[in-house]
Amino acid sequence: MPSTSSRMLALLSLLQSRRDWPGGVLAERLDVSTRTVRRDVDRLRELGYRITTAKGPDGGYRLDAGADLPPLLFDDDQAVAITVALQVATTAGAGIGDDALRALGTLRQVMPSRLRHRIDALTVEAVRAPGAADDVDPAVLVAVGAAARAREVLRFDYGTDDAPRRAEPHHVATWRGRWYLVAFDLDRHDWRTFRVDRIVPRTPNGPRFAPRELPGGDVAAYLTGVFRGNADGVGWPCTGEVVVGLPLGEVLPYVGDGVAVALDDQRTRLTVGSWSWAGVVASVLRYDAEIAVLGPDALREAFARVGERCGRAGRGT
């Protein structure tokens, strides 16, 4: 029969794995009596774990949040996931880099040797992208997120705007190293994205609001459309098709979210999008190869305009 301490750890692990546990099920999983389960639950309570009890024939136990953070148990895969997440947290732009590194040190110190070896083999060099935005104040991030969760109108100063803004905050999201608030702007009567590093919340929050349906259906679709300059969907506003005089292997490393298909050993059909036709031209010209435009006509016209500009630039006129 397992010792009391190992049994309590097993019980704690079960309580952490899901919200509610009937007492009889816990007793069966631990191969003990329900009376033993009750005693072990009482011992965990004495250690600071807040475990509530549901009365009745189907009564059971639930591990709830308490005033302090008690010791936690993680299985091997959870420990690896947390360690990797803490290593990349320094590039998240949320102003928690130092705290993440301290937490990583605390976690590694108590890891068994088998896990420590796995983690040391997974050391990640987290690198901030050049020109990345300054870290967001964690207090601002929490305030904005709390307003979104509570569905309360957020009042805030924004950048260099003279007047305070009023918006219904719906989602806090990250995009390429920056934090954004997706909200319905009450003064402009439209959806907007706000950079969280430019937000200075005002207190108190405004009244509660009913959630609105986000354009595109979800945050990913909406933000993709916004940053591609397409308010009506997630695709690029301008998409064209060309044949590039290079083999597929030389095109693929730079195709981005385009589509490349080999026509033969020396030619590749490329479908590429951008926020403008000139942008599509620029994406294709990076290959420094012969190009044949398959369509549409707007792309052919853009190539002609860009060619004229390039000719003038080359002649210095």
Side-chain angles (χ1 to χ4, degrees), residues 103-126:
L104 179 60
T106 301
L107 183 62
R108 188 183 182 281
Q109 184 176 354
V110 297
M111 280 183 178
S113 59
R114 69 176 187 281
L115 267 184
R116 194 176 297 118
H117 293 319
R118 287 181 65 187
I119 295 305
D120 290 344
L122 273 173
T123 300
V124 177
E125 292 294 336

Side-chain angles (χ1 to χ4, degrees), residues 292-313:
V293 178
L294 299 180
D297 289 340
L299 181 57
R300 294 188 179 89
E301 296 167 1
F303 265 101
R305 290 194 302 272
V306 171
E308 292 173 359
R309 293 192 197 110
C310 291
R312 291 194 296 271

Side-chain angles (χ1 to χ4, degrees), residues 181-293:
L181 169 66
V182 177
F184 188 84
D185 191 315
L186 294 174
D187 298 313
R188 290 159 177 78
H189 307 289
D190 199 2
W191 289 93
R192 291 288 191 274
T193 57
F194 299 95
R195 279 179 49 174
V196 178
D197 60 309
R198 296 178 179 175
I199 290 177
V200 179
R202 292 193 171 203
T203 56
N205 291 336
R208 292 177 61 85
F209 61 88
R212 301 173 187 262
E213 184 177 353
L214 189 65
D218 58 48
V219 180
Y222 174 74
L223 283 178
T224 300
V226 166
F227 290 108
R228 286 183 171 181
N230 186 357
D232 298 324
V234 299
W236 290 107
C238 303
T239 301
E241 192 173 38
V242 301
V243 175
V244 180
L246 290 173
L248 180 63
E250 296 183 32
V251 173
L252 280 178
Y254 313 103
V255 76
D257 62 355
V259 178
V261 179
L263 294 179
D264 52 41
D265 291 343
Q266 297 299 321
R267 296 183 306 152
T268 300
R269 185 173 70 241
L270 176 64
T271 303
V272 62
S274 183
W275 54 85
S276 68
W277 290 114
V280 176
V281 173
S283 295
V284 175
L285 289 178
R286 75 178 67 186
Y287 294 105
D288 192 21
E290 293 298 318
I291 301 162
V293 178

Side-chain angles (χ1 to χ4, degrees), residues 111-174:
M111 280 183 178
S113 59
R114 69 176 187 281
L115 267 184
R116 194 176 297 118
H117 293 319
R118 287 181 65 187
I119 295 305
D120 290 344
L122 273 173
T123 300
V124 177
E125 292 294 336
V127 179
R128 291 286 293 272
D134 294 335
D135 284 345
V136 173
D137 184 341
V140 173
L141 196 60
V142 170
V144 172
R149 181 179 179 84
R151 302 297 186 196
E152 294 176 346
V153 171
L154 188 67
R155 300 165 55 249
F156 58 96
D157 297 314
Y158 189 67
T160 58
D161 290 356
D162 295 329
R165 308 292 289 268
R166 298 181 308 120
E168 297 175 352
H170 282 256
H171 302 278
V172 178
T174 61

Side-chain angles (χ1 to χ4, degrees), residues 6-16 26 30 36-37 40-41 44 51:
S6 62
R7 191 178 63 244
M8 287 174 59
L9 290 174
L11 172 59
L12 179 59
S13 180
L14 289 172
L15 289 172
Q16 288 179 172
L26 283 174
L30 297 171
T36 299
V37 170
D40 287 347
V41 166
L44 288 175
I51 302 173

